[in-house]
Structures are given as C-alpha cells and as structure tokens.
Amino acid sequence: MAFLKQFQVEEIKEKLVSDPSRLGKLYKIKKSEYQHLSVDHSLVDGYLKEGWEIEGKPLKTKTKIRIPKKHSKKFEDDIWCQFYNLGYRTLNFDENFVLPFSKNLEDKKQIDIIAVNNETILLVECKSSEKLKKAPSFKDEFDVLGLRIDGFKKALYQIFGSDKKIKYIFATRNLRISSDSEDLKRLENTNSLYYNNNTFEYVNNLIKNYKNASFYQFLGLVFKNEIINLNKIEIPAVNGKMGKKDYFMFSIEPSLLLKMGFILHRTRANESEFPTYQRLLVPSRLKGITNFIDEGGYFPNAIIINFSNKKNKIKFEAHSKSSSSNSRTGTLKIPNAYGIAYIIDGQHRVYGYANSEYVETNTIPVVAFNGLMSNEQLKIFMDINQNQKAVSPSLRLDLEEDLYWDSERADSRLKALRSSIIKKLGNSESSPLFNKISVGEDKALLTFKPFTTALANSGLLPSAKGNKYNEDSLVGSLYDTNNQNHNQEMNRAKKKIVDFIIHCYDYVEQSYPKIYNRDKYFIVSNRGTFAYISLIGDLNKFETQKGNVNKQTKASDRFEKIKPYLKSLFDSLSQISTEEEEKQLTLLGAGADIKWLRYFQTFVNTAHSKYNPPELIDWNERQNEVYQSDGRKYIKEVERFMKNTILENLKILFGNDWELEINKIKSACQNRANDENEKNYKEKIDKRVEWTEMFNINDYKTIIEKYWSRKPEPMIDNFITFEKTFSIDIGLGKNKKDLIKWISFFNSYRNQLAHEGSKNKGINKKEVGELKAIYDHFFDKN
C-alpha cells in the first residue's frame, strides 16, 4: 500500500542519477583512491596541515589537492563502482540518500548505495574496518531490519513499480562474522544477503572474466531460487533414465537459461554450496565464442545442467509413451526463477550468448538432470573434463576433499583430509591464515600446493599406500588409524591439526609481527609454509617420542610443548644479518623449500641440542666438505682404474679390432667429444678432447657385463677377467647382476658430487664409507 507523499517521491528521485554522462564522471571520481578538491590558494596551507597534498601544478586561482579516502568512504565507492560495472545505470550520487519505511515522517534511514535497473533494485548498507578484525554485534540493527525492509519495499514499489525484485544487502569489509553467528541468522531471516570480502572479490572476478555477462551470474548469486514471475516456462522435452537418474532433453533460448542457470564456481563466496567445482571463464575464449555465434556458428553438443531446488520444482507432463522406447515425450514446466539450474558443463557456450545478437532467438540443446547431489555433479564434471581441458593442479588439489572423503582407500581419504585442513585454515575467520590461501578460484598470497606438500611431510598425518599405513609414519600422527569410523576420525583429526597449526601461526603473528607481517618472507610465503608446517610437525613428533604429548593432548597444551623451540627459531631469524637474509631469500630451485626447513631446524638444534632429527644429521653430513672431498678422491681414483683396466683388457682380447668391437659405444663417445670440442671452439678455449676421454660409468658397466668372463685365445699369463676384477659382494647375492650392483651406487654418488663445491646433494658419512670400501677393494690389491 502506497504511503509516500508526492513531495517525498520527488525528493528520493532527485537523489538518484541516470544520465550516462554524469554517471561516467561519478564513476571516475568514485574509482579513485583519493578525494579531490580545488581550493583557493589562500586555503591550501590549512588543508596541508590536515593531511591533504597538492596535486599537479596550481591553476590561476585554485590549487588542486587530494587526500586518501577513509576506508569507509572507499568501501562504499568500491561497491558503487562494482554495481556500475555490472550494468546498473540508476544509482545514488552521494551518501545523503534517505529512504522512508513508514507513514511516520521520522521513520526513515540513510542508505549507503541504491542501484536500480529494469529488473532489480539493490539497497546496500556498508560497514568496514581499516584492518581485519572481529565484527561488533549488529543485534539491535538486525532485530528491526525485517520491518524496515518491508517498508522500504512499499516505498520502492510506489516509486518504480511492483515488477522489480528488491534485495537488501549487508556489505562488510575487513569485519569477521562467523558463519554460525546469531547475527547472520538474524540477517538471513530477513531474506537479506551478506556481502563480505569474499563476495566482493568474487563479483570483481566475475566482472573481469565475464564482462557484461557477469550480471547473469550475479543475479543468481543475489536472488538464488527466487521467483522472477509466476509464469512457468513450458518446453517440449524428452524424458529418460540413465542408471537410476531421471534426465530431460530439450532446447531453450539462451536468455532464459542465463537467468535460471548458476555456476558452482570454486570460490569462498559459494562456500555454502560446497562441494563446488567450476573454474572461472577464460575472457578471451568467451569473446571468441560470441563472435563465432554471431557469424553463424553453432555448437551441436548439449549443455549439461541439474535442477536441484526443492522449493521450486520442475514438473513433467508426459504424452502417451511409445511402445518401441522407454523414453517419453511431453512438456517440461520450469519455474521462472533465478539460479535454479546448476550448469555442470557448457558455461562458455551459455555465457558466449550473453552478448550475442542471437541471445533471444537461438535455441540451444540441453540435457537436464533432476535432483543430483553436489558430489554427483562434481563426478560428472570431472568425468567430462578429464578427457578435455585439464583441470588445473590447484583446483584438483582443492577438489580432493569432495572427490575422496568417502573413498574406500586410506591413501585417498588422507588426500581429502589434507585438502579439508587447508581450506579450514584459509576460510576460518579465527585463523591468522584467513583469506591468505588460494582456494579454488579465489586468488591469495599463498598457493594451495605448499600446504599439501607440508602436511604430507609433517608427520601430523600418517602416510599410506592403498589401505596399508606406513608404520614409520604413525609416531606423532594425530590421526587414529584404529578408528574404523573413518568420517568421525577424519573430522576429529582435522580439528586437532587445524587448532594446533592456528596456535603456531597465532604465536608468530602476535610475538614476532615483523616476521609475520612481511609478505614472501620466512613464514608468510610458499617456501616458508612448507618449512614452518614441516617443522612444527617434526617438533610434535619429537615431543611424542619423549612421551610429553600424544593423540589426546589438547592443541593448546601441544603448542606449549613446542613453544620453546619456536621461540629459539624466531629469536634467531630476528637476528640474522642482511647478507644471510639475502642469501636465503634468493635461493633458487625446487629444493629451496627443503633448504629452508633444514635452516629452521638448524636454529632449533643450536639452542636445543637434543633435537637432532636424522634428516638434519644427514643434511649436515652432506654439507661437510671433508666428506665431499674424500668422496671425490675415491671416485676419481676408482674411475681412472676402471678406464685403464677396461681399455687394456679390450686391447688384449681384440687386438687392433678393439674399437670396432665397441663401435656403438665409440660412436656415442665421439658425439660427446664433438659436442665438447664445438663448445670449446665457440668459447675460444684452446682444448681438444679425444673420444676415449668421453666414456661414462654406464659405458664401463656395459662392457664389463658383455665381456664378463671372456679370456684371450690363446690365454695369456697373468690375464685377469672382468669377473674377477670387478666383482664386489655388497651383500645382495653372488650372481653377476648382484656382484656389479656396486657400479650403480658408485655412479649415483658420482652424480651427487658432479660439481665441485656443490652442496645441493652431496654424500653423507655412510656413503663416503661405501665409496672407501670400493676404493679399498681395488687398491688394496694393486
């Protein structure tokens, strides 16, 4: 019922702007990071004292000045610009827009943003904080919100007509509101939309990737399952069954499918819909599809969708069934509602029509399922995409939770558990890593993979192959492999590990903010993620072995046990020199994350000598130059002996034909020599190598195996066969294969020491001993 007086209607309309030129200028102003003014020269000094700065050269009578917008103003302007980019062309021009909600002239409220188009009206209340923090209570505001919204709608229907959909949006920036809070329940009870950081970023990504077509997905997000009008869409269709699932085949105009369709993008904004699985569109591909359609192109394959809304159900009225088929023809009646059909496959084709001249006139083929669960949709999506464009590695890691949670294999369930833990760390507002981890299509500072690798390496979870757990991985694991209720145990382990990791990150955030708040540094970086989580897992294992913690230990108590070690680490990191810092931060290569882990462990070991894990001992030995020097000496002498002995025996066995006897090996050596000589020539190095200098260890092994027991004819005194010379028993057996196995180990150690001074791999104390044993075998006899 109308309650506004005409003067109120006029006042409200005067606060709105629809003129394209004026809107464009407003957009430019609101998009800027600064508030701009032009003031008389005499007033400039006063403004400068208040934080303003001069912008450009002074004009004749005025000076242009600017100041960064306050976070609250910037947030309101960002939302305004976002709606402008979505295509809204009637908006408020300043913050003084006031809307009545009853006949009483006192009952009115300031609205931060109002956006109107030919279908919808959006009312937005904005709340923000300069830095991320827990939100205050909005109980008082939300308790009366329902009545206010009813009044707002009556006023807006009177001004704009009753055919528009209206949505009240409560938008926040840097305010954490728990998903299970009473405030959100109160807001949801008013059918309003909570629009947080994640939603804002998701819509921005839609605009970036979908351009003008983003409006359709936005409608589905804002008005999900809400009726557009009461006129159902009636389409001729064929009904059939695949397995136990009903499906329908029909053709529909893209304009209708765009409004009823919704894509389950893998993003935090769609968290309530999980499991979600779709990637964002590729903008260049979308534009190409639109051009292809407008030039007369078409796609003969069907779009695959799923109707899953229980409130707005589809109905099928069948015609008489043919005796020659189990399929039925009939009429499919679809509620005319937003976002009721999930697009499983074909989003590029559907959205390619959004900007096409044929959006209203073409019809496109559709296969529609009815009532599929989200995990069933996910399976169809993965089955389709495994043979088409590959799902990105990051998205696949993210999807592992939904793909494998209920798997019959332990190793697959552990993949799902790792994925779930990472998403909880990134999505929980109680976590210092909140919104810092890239999950699905949400891009952030830290990527998903280092967390996956770190959790697999940390020992906080066991490792398994099939359904067999690795016994060595059970010490320190917080997962009880004896609990056969897998779902229960996975959730228990998830909570234990998430809480423990949060405590560890909380500690560095609160106690060492200079380290934590520095992006791409030792903690908040992909490399640091691997090193830190691996370290805290190893410290937990160390304390478990000492009997100080077990699976039942509370996260807070577990953290207190490893806190002294972490303090030593961060105290040491706080004191490193600029040169050392630069050295660590510029490490390159795939092994850099391991180097950081050993670097962290070394700091802990220095302060707590009893903490000296086998991996760190091995690492330090491989950095020990005495071991490396001894190893190179043994390798050099053994290799020289092998070459001299093998060539000498070949000449005795085959005389002048010895080169022809190994011609295949000679050709390979000659090619290597040619390459080396060409390189020397280009680098102006006056050195020429012969083919006999280019044997490798595998060449020697091939010759030894081939002529293992060969003797010259006639036999020569003092000739020793390869079998007698090169047989070394290393405890594997007595046949030829076992007796020359040492050559493979020797070659491996040689490769690890290939570059003088290299500490990337090196050899440890045990391996030096093995090389010495090989050396002694030859030179004790000679």
Side-chain angles (χ1 to χ4, degrees):
M1 181 177 176
F3 64 82
L4 294 179
K5 298 187 182 334
Q6 188 57 37
F7 80 88
Q8 291 176 292
V9 172
E10 295 303 322
E11 282 180 350
I12 292 169
K13 286 183 175 180
E14 286 175 1
K15 285 294 181 180
L16 298 173
V17 57
S18 301
D19 176 66
S21 175
R22 191 176 174 199
L23 278 172
K25 292 175 182 177
L26 272 173
Y27 175 75
K28 186 177 180 181
I29 291 170
K30 289 180 177 292
K31 193 175 180 181
S32 172
E33 299 284 329
Y34 295 90
Q35 182 180 344
H36 302 265
L37 281 179
S38 291
V39 299
D40 291 336
H41 299 318
S42 60
L43 300 176
V44 170
D45 287 344
Y47 278 99
L48 294 180
K49 291 176 182 177
E50 295 175 4
W52 291 72
E53 61 184 43
I54 295 173
E55 181 182 11
K57 294 181 179 180
L59 302 176
K60 188 173 182 180
T61 61
K62 301 279 186 179
T63 298
K64 290 183 178 181
I65 58 174
R66 69 180 188 181
I67 193 172
K69 292 177 182 175
K70 292 181 179 179
H71 65 82
S72 55
K73 175 63 175 170
K74 183 69 173 65
F75 182 40
E76 291 174 11
D77 285 352
D78 285 348
I79 294 283
W80 192 100
C81 290
Q82 192 173 77
F83 290 171
Y84 178 85
N85 285 328
L86 284 165
Y88 285 91
R89 288 299 180 265
T90 298
L91 297 111
N92 58 307
F93 59 83
D94 64 17
E95 63 274 14
N96 298 318
F97 183 85
V98 176
L99 191 62
F101 53 85
S102 82
K103 292 180 180 180
N104 188 338
L105 293 178
E106 299 299 318
D107 288 344
K108 56 187 177 181
K109 190 173 187 309
Q110 183 266 339
I111 303 293
D112 293 323
I113 299 156
I114 177 171
V116 184
N117 65 9
N118 59 351
E119 295 180 66
T120 63
I121 302 175
L122 306 177
L123 300 176
V124 187
E125 175 79 10
C126 295
K127 302 287 185 183
S128 69
S129 167
E130 189 168 4
K131 294 183 178 180
L132 188 66
K133 69 175 187 179
K134 186 177 180 180
S137 172
F138 297 109
K139 179 180 182 302
D140 293 343
E141 186 169 342
F142 290 167
D143 279 345
V144 298
L145 184 58
L147 291 174
R148 286 180 177 174
I149 291 174
D150 288 342
F152 292 153
K153 286 183 177 180
K154 290 175 183 176
L156 293 170
Y157 287 150
Q158 183 178 342
I159 299 168
F160 296 104
S162 60
D163 60 334
K164 296 188 187 299
K165 298 290 296 182
I166 298 173
K167 180 65 68 171
Y168 184 88
I169 296 174
F170 187 75
T172 64
R173 172 174 285 175
N174 292 338
L175 290 173
R176 300 202 304 252
I177 303 179
S178 175
S179 58
D180 58 356
S181 70
E182 290 301 316
D183 273 351
L184 275 192
K185 290 176 185 177
R186 294 184 186 101
L187 184 65
E188 289 167 1
N189 286 338
T190 67
N191 195 33
S192 298
L193 178 69
Y194 177 43
Y195 206 91
N196 61 8
N197 290 34
N198 296 330
T199 317
F200 178 83
E201 290 303 321
Y202 174 53
V203 174
N204 264 0
N205 283 331
L206 286 177
I207 294 167
K208 178 181 176 182
N209 289 274
Y210 288 62
K211 307 300 180 186
N212 296 339
S214 59
F215 180 64
Y216 294 103
Q217 180 75 358
F218 177 76
L219 285 178
L221 181 72
V222 175
F223 296 103
K224 194 87 185 303
N225 299 319
E226 293 188 24
I227 294 292
I228 299 171
N229 59 58
L230 297 176
N231 299 321
K232 290 198 172 184
I233 301 166
E234 298 188 3
I235 303 174
V238 175
N239 171 228
K241 276 188 178 292
M242 281 191 284
K244 297 181 181 180
K245 301 299 179 185
D246 268 323
Y247 74 94
F248 303 91
M249 296 180 66
F250 55 85
S251 290
I252 190 172
E253 288 75 13
S255 58
L256 294 174
L257 188 55
L258 281 163
K259 288 184 181 179
M260 73 169 69
F262 189 75
I263 301 168
L264 285 172
H265 289 129
R266 195 69 171 180
T267 173
R268 296 184 188 95
N270 292 329
E271 190 172 0
S272 62
E273 302 276 359
F274 277 10
T276 54
Y277 47 86
Q278 292 273 27
R279 300 160 290 201
L280 286 169
L281 291 174
V282 179
S284 59
R285 189 177 173 200
L286 185 64
K287 184 178 180 181
I289 290 173
T290 301
N291 292 337
F292 174 74
I293 294 167
D294 287 345
E295 291 170 3
Y298 61 91
F299 301 95
N301 50 331
I303 308 299
I304 300 176
I305 67 173
N306 174 54
F307 292 109
S308 62
N309 185 255
K310 295 178 181 178
K311 181 180 177 182
N312 299 313
K313 294 182 179 180
I314 61 172
K315 292 182 180 179
F316 183 69
E317 293 182 356
H319 302 155
S320 57
K321 181 176 174 295
S322 169
S323 60
S324 59
S325 174
N326 289 325
S327 297
R328 301 181 299 167
T329 61
T331 300
L332 186 65
K333 296 185 175 182
I334 306 170
N336 196 353
Y338 294 109
I340 61 169
Y342 294 125
I343 300 175
I344 299 173
D345 186 61
Q347 60 162 324
H348 278 90
R349 281 168 277 155
V350 174
Y351 280 88
Y353 269 102
N355 295 312
S356 169
E357 61 183 278
Y358 297 111
V359 66
E360 300 280 355
T361 56
N362 274 7
T363 58
I364 52 178
V366 174
V367 171
F369 290 92
N370 187 30
L372 290 181
M373 300 296 288
S374 289
N375 57 348
E376 294 175 302
Q377 297 178 57
L378 169 60
K379 187 176 185 307
I380 293 173
F381 170 79
M382 294 298 288
D383 288 343
I384 292 169
N385 280 274
Q386 69 181 357
N387 295 318
Q388 295 182 17
K389 182 178 178 181
V391 177
S392 68
S394 59
L395 181 56
R396 184 172 290 279
L397 289 171
D398 176 18
L399 291 172
E400 284 181 344
E401 177 184 8
D402 306 315
L403 286 170
Y404 303 130
W405 189 269
D406 296 316
S407 173
E408 294 181 358
R409 292 172 56 113
D411 53 1
S412 294
R413 292 195 300 273
L414 288 170
K415 284 183 181 179
L417 184 51
R418 288 197 295 267
S419 179
S420 186
I421 288 168
I422 296 163
K423 282 182 278 188
K424 187 67 175 176
L425 288 170
N427 294 341
S428 172
E429 295 192 348
S430 63
S431 169
L433 295 170
F434 177 62
N435 278 358
K436 289 184 181 293
I437 306 172
S438 297
V439 178
E441 293 293 338
D442 294 312
K443 303 305 177 188
L445 179 64
L446 306 175
T447 58
F448 206 92
K449 187 175 181 180
F451 285 90
T452 303
T453 310
L455 284 173
N457 185 66
S458 68
L460 295 172
L461 288 170
S463 61
K465 186 174 183 180
N467 280 315
K468 185 175 178 59
Y469 291 100
N470 180 351
E471 288 294 326
D472 293 337
S473 70
L474 300 182
V475 179
S477 166
L478 304 189
Y479 184 95
D480 185 358
T481 57
N482 295 317
N483 186 354
Q484 296 306 303
N485 186 333
H486 301 310
N487 182 64
Q488 179 191 66
E489 186 54 34
M490 288 168 74
N491 280 306
R492 282 181 180 174
K494 174 182 173 180
K495 185 176 189 317
K496 292 175 191 174
I497 293 170
V498 167
D499 289 350
F500 176 49
I501 292 175
I502 284 176
H503 272 88
C504 294
Y505 274 89
D506 268 337
Y507 174 64
V508 60
E509 181 185 33
Q510 299 301 320
S511 301
Y512 298 89
K514 288 184 179 179
I515 293 176
Y516 185 82
N517 292 327
R518 187 169 167 184
D519 291 347
K520 298 183 180 180
Y521 198 52
F522 287 113
I523 297 301
V524 184
S525 63
N526 290 326
R527 195 175 292 175
T529 293
F530 174 84
Y532 191 48
I533 292 179
S534 295
L535 175 67
I536 62 179
D538 199 53
L539 291 171
N540 172 68
K541 180 179 179 180
F542 180 60
E543 285 297 303
T544 302
Q545 291 170 324
K546 289 169 62 178
N548 293 331
V549 296
N550 55 45
K551 286 182 176 64
Q552 284 69 47
T553 304
K554 292 192 302 183
S556 56
D557 295 336
R558 189 181 306 280
F559 165 72
E560 287 299 324
K561 288 297 181 183
I562 73 162
K563 181 179 175 181
Y565 306 108
L566 298 183
K567 184 178 187 304
S568 299
L569 166 67
F570 292 118
D571 284 346
S572 299
L573 285 175
S574 300
Q575 297 168 15
I576 62 173
S577 66
T578 304
E579 293 76 16
E580 177 65 16
E581 177 184 273
E582 180 70 15
K583 174 186 172 183
Q584 295 299 324
L585 294 179
T586 55
L587 284 175
L588 301 175
D593 51 357
I594 290 288
K595 290 180 182 178
W596 272 22
L597 171 57
R598 302 295 176 243
Y599 188 57
F600 287 9
Q601 288 176 320
T602 300
F603 282 135
V604 176
N605 168 254
T606 300
H608 308 271
S609 59
K610 289 184 179 179
Y611 172 74
N612 197 17
E615 297 84 4
L616 182 60
I617 295 172
D618 179 80
W619 170 265
N620 285 329
E621 287 178 357
R622 294 180 190 277
Q623 313 309 300
N624 186 310
E625 190 50 46
V626 173
Y627 292 153
Q628 313 316 304
S629 178
D630 287 347
R632 291 190 188 94
K633 178 185 71 175
Y634 298 140
I635 285 170
K636 183 178 180 180
E637 293 302 322
V638 169
E639 191 169 0
R640 180 185 293 124
F641 175 82
M642 290 177 75
K643 178 181 179 180
N644 292 338
T645 302
I646 288 169
L647 292 184
E648 183 179 333
N649 274 19
L650 286 174
K651 291 173 183 177
I652 293 172
L653 288 170
F654 304 108
N656 293 333
D657 295 328
W658 75 272
E659 293 182 23
L660 294 175
E661 187 66 27
I662 61 166
N663 192 55
K664 188 174 180 180
I665 292 175
K666 177 184 175 181
S667 296
C669 291
Q670 187 65 64
N671 288 336
R672 293 176 206 142
N674 291 341
D675 291 342
E676 185 70 15
N677 288 326
E678 182 182 4
K679 178 185 173 185
N680 290 342
Y681 170 74
K682 289 180 177 178
E683 295 179 0
K684 301 187 183 306
I685 298 174
D686 187 16
K687 179 182 179 183
R688 188 167 186 84
V689 297
E690 299 298 326
W691 73 268
T692 51
E693 299 175 61
M694 302 307 291
F695 285 102
N696 61 37
I697 301 300
N698 286 328
D699 293 332
Y700 296 148
K701 183 181 178 185
T702 299
I703 295 170
I704 291 169
E705 284 183 297
K706 186 174 181 180
Y707 306 111
W708 180 243
S709 56
R710 188 77 168 261
K711 298 177 181 177
E713 296 178 2
M715 181 62 179
I716 299 174
D717 291 341
N718 300 322
F719 180 83
I720 303 173
T721 64
F722 289 145
E723 177 181 11
K724 188 172 182 181
T725 301
F726 293 109
S727 291
I728 300 180
D729 184 0
I730 58 173
L732 298 177
K734 299 292 185 180
N735 60 39
K736 179 170 70 171
K737 181 180 178 182
D738 296 328
L739 291 173
I740 61 171
K741 187 67 176 176
W742 68 268
I743 299 178
S744 297
F745 291 115
F746 177 85
N747 194 36
S748 174
Y749 301 154
R750 182 188 182 280
N751 290 336
Q752 288 170 218
L753 289 168
H755 301 290
E756 193 78 28
S758 170
K759 294 188 178 182
N760 287 340
K761 293 183 179 178
I763 56 175
N764 60 24
K765 182 178 180 181
K766 176 176 174 292
E767 291 163 350
V768 174
E770 291 172 1
L771 284 174
K772 185 177 186 303
I774 294 170
Y775 172 86
D776 289 345
H777 172 83
F778 295 118
F779 291 98
D780 277 355
K781 296 179 181 180
N782 296 278

